[in-house]
Amino acid sequence: MQSGVTEQINRKIQERVTAMLQHSRLKLDFWAEALQAVVYLINLTQSKAIRLKVPKALWSGKEPTCNRLR
């Protein structure tokens, strides 16, 4: 069961990285930067799995800001 959930999450991340690179027309050389950006955004987004709370807020105990987004 757990590996199925992990595979779904990895697939979702991979799809978002691909979409980000295609939309920005960047080469695949930038996949690591796109991956980092996608995971950062996921950690700032509410999740149903944790009752619409923000993962970063649960980890740090502080409400996250979007100041770093450009």
Side-chain angles (χ1 to χ4, degrees), residues 1-9:
M1 171 94 175
Q2 285 294 340
S3 78
V5 173
T6 303
E7 288 175 15
Q8 287 177 345
I9 292 169

Side-chain angles (χ1 to χ4, degrees), residues 2-63:
Q2 285 294 340
S3 78
V5 173
T6 303
E7 288 175 15
Q8 287 177 345
I9 292 169
N10 286 340
R11 188 176 325 113
K12 182 185 291 189
I13 290 171
Q14 183 180 9
E15 289 170 355
R16 290 179 183 186
V17 168
T18 302
M20 185 180 284
L21 289 173
Q22 287 177 348
H23 181 74
S24 63
R25 296 186 177 141
L26 288 172
K27 295 179 182 179
L28 288 177
D29 297 344
F30 289 96
W31 70 268
E33 289 80 2
L35 174 64
Q36 186 176 13
V38 165
V39 172
Y40 180 76
L41 291 171
I42 288 171
N43 288 331
L44 289 178
T45 306
Q46 294 176 333
S47 172
K48 287 182 187 178
I50 51 177
R51 298 187 185 122
L52 295 178
K53 294 184 180 176
V54 177
K56 187 168 174 88
L58 291 177
W59 294 327
S60 68
K62 303 176 198 171
E63 279 300 313

